[in-house]
Amino acid sequence: MRGRVIVACGSGVATSQAVASKIARLLKEKDVDAEVEAVDIKSLKHHIGGASAYVSIVKDDTDWGIPVINGVSFLTGVGQDTELQNLIDALRG
């Protein structure tokens, strides 16, 4: 089964696209099949349905009912391995 990951930032253009691209590459390297989609935070509620996990780059306290992964780790590299494993676990869940 193919997982679906939503990555959201404030504008949905630069940061979320960069993180989504990096996550897609890292997942591919780990042989994890997933669709990774970048969106802006304002349209998140329209895209999150059916997602396996949400990678958050901006603060959002909404309970989406799916695992939330710290997207800042993919920007800075700090804690990236842990967050990548959390994402993989959510997708394999």
Side-chain angles (χ1 to χ4, degrees):
M1 176 190 336
R2 185 170 208 208
R4 186 165 166 262
V5 179
I6 299 295
V7 180
C9 72
S11 67
V13 180
T15 306
S16 62
Q17 291 288 346
V19 170
S21 177
K22 185 174 189 179
I23 288 171
R25 178 181 53 80
L26 292 169
L27 290 175
K28 185 175 182 180
E29 289 173 3
K30 299 282 188 180
D31 292 322
V32 177
D33 187 25
E35 171 189 355
V36 183
E37 179 181 353
V39 301
D40 68 275
I41 195 76
K42 290 175 249 159
S43 65
L44 178 60
K45 65 182 172 219
H46 301 293
H47 295 276
I48 201 139
S52 306
Y54 165 44
V55 177
S56 175
I57 300 168
V58 296
K59 181 104 170 104
D60 178 24
D61 293 326
T62 305
D63 180 0
W64 298 104
I66 57 174
V68 177
I69 308 300
N70 178 1
V72 175
S73 293
F74 295 98
L75 286 173
T76 65
V78 177
Q80 177 178 291
D81 292 341
T82 299
E83 292 303 320
L84 178 60
Q85 189 58 55
N86 290 340
L87 179 57
I88 291 169
D89 292 346
L91 290 166
R92 292 185 174 156

